[in-house]
Every structure is written in structure tokens, then in C-alpha cells.
Amino acid sequence: MTSIAIRPIMDTDVRGAAAALMKVHKTDGYPVEGVEDPEAWIRPPAVLSAWVAEDEGKIVGHVAVMRTQGEGAVSLWRDKSGESEGRIGVLARLFVVREARKHAAGERLMRAAMDYAKQNSLRLVLDVMTKDTAAIRLYERLGWQHIGEVSHHFGAGQQIPAACYVWPTA
């Protein structure tokens, strides 16, 4: 690994991002859904903007800011703040292959998403599975505030505990 670049995703990046996602799923069990069609999971219609981390032409990470779609974190934040749903974005689909993590790729992807939210006056929320302790440490180090717990539902009636966070700057 040399110098990792963070840039907006292009259509030609989707296949490489899907390959990176499958690598992360194999090592970390993330995500719990979407692996049957990783390219569709990376590019759902609700994406407002997305970025990739690239190292020597290879995609090693990804993050997206999405429109709300009934997420528990959105409901928790609306209940606590009274903020309108139109001003809320969901930080989602953050993943970085293991070997790129020591180069702060995850933090740099997060900062790209937070810059986008600030420029577009969006309050970001997210949910993270409580098992993903490294991700939780990153969010808290970047100033995200814990706002509650939900169950993340996926698959055929499956669920897993998730913590919800809000980025305090919009």
C-alpha cells in the first residue's frame, strides 16, 4: 500500500468495490446482508453521494450518504431532536479492507461523507452492529454521539443489536 486516495465513486468502480466488500465480509462478517448481490448493495437508489478509497488502482474501501428509508437511527434522532427527515442523511455502507485500515482509509472516507453533509446542511445518523467495536471506536473518536440502541433486521426474520449515532455538526 502506498498513498490511498479518497474520491467520489464512478460506475467503473462498482465491481472493484464489490470485490472489496466480499473481502471485508469474509474477514469481518460485514455486512450481514447484501452479499448475494454486492454491486446492487453498493449502488442502491437511495444513495445521495458515495466515495471510494483507492490504492494503486484497486478499490480498498467505500462509504455512502443515503436518503432516509425508515432506519431506526433516523427515528431515534427525530424523536430526540424534532429535526425534519428532509434534513437527515444516513451514513452507510462503510467498509475498508483490513490492510488499508492502518492507513486511516476509514477515517478519511468518513470525513468525505461528513464534509458532504456539512455542505448540504444534512445531519448524519448511522447504526452500527454492536459487534463491530472497531467501527464504534472510529465513530466516537470522530465525535459522533451515541443516541440509542435498535435491532438491525435483515434476511428472513433475522436481527442483530445495533447502536445508533448522530454526527453533531450539520
Side-chain angles (χ1 to χ4, degrees):
M1 299 235 151
T2 57
S3 179
I4 294 176
I6 306 299
R7 61 173 176 74
I9 193 169
M10 298 183 296
D11 289 341
T12 55
D13 296 324
V14 174
R15 180 169 290 163
L21 175 70
M22 296 309 293
K23 191 172 184 178
V24 170
H25 179 73
K26 185 176 180 180
T27 60
D28 300 330
Y30 175 86
V32 293
E33 74 265 309
V35 294
E36 64 283 344
D37 189 355
E39 291 184 22
W41 189 82
I42 289 166
R43 294 298 290 242
V47 171
L48 295 170
S49 196
W51 300 263
V52 292
E54 180 182 33
D55 181 45
E56 297 180 353
K58 185 176 180 184
I59 304 300
V60 296
H62 172 274
V63 70
V65 173
M66 300 175 62
R67 285 185 289 282
T68 64
Q69 300 178 90
E71 295 86 354
V74 173
S75 297
L76 281 172
W77 180 245
R78 286 187 67 208
D79 290 348
K80 288 180 183 287
S81 70
E83 195 151 22
S84 73
E85 194 165 322
R87 288 212 50 232
I88 301 171
V90 178
L91 187 128
R93 286 147 167 78
L94 173 65
F95 59 88
V96 176
V97 299
R98 185 166 284 166
E99 52 273 12
R101 294 175 193 169
K102 61 186 169 204
H103 298 281
E107 178 175 343
R108 293 176 57 213
L109 285 164
M110 290 283 299
R111 290 192 185 282
M114 294 180 325
D115 287 346
Y116 172 86
K118 190 171 188 177
Q119 292 165 5
N120 290 279
S121 300
L122 289 175
R123 172 84 57 200
L124 290 179
V125 299
L126 63 81
D127 72 41
V128 57
M129 290 168 277
T130 56
K131 72 174 186 63
D132 294 330
T133 57
I136 290 170
R137 283 192 305 272
L138 172 63
Y139 303 143
E140 291 178 351
R141 187 168 45 81
L142 292 175
W144 288 64
Q145 297 172 351
H146 183 261
I147 56 172
E149 307 285 324
V150 297
S151 289
H152 180 86
H153 298 272
F154 64 98
Q158 296 175 302
Q159 61 183 2
I160 189 168
C164 298
Y165 285 82
V166 63
W167 183 50
T169 305

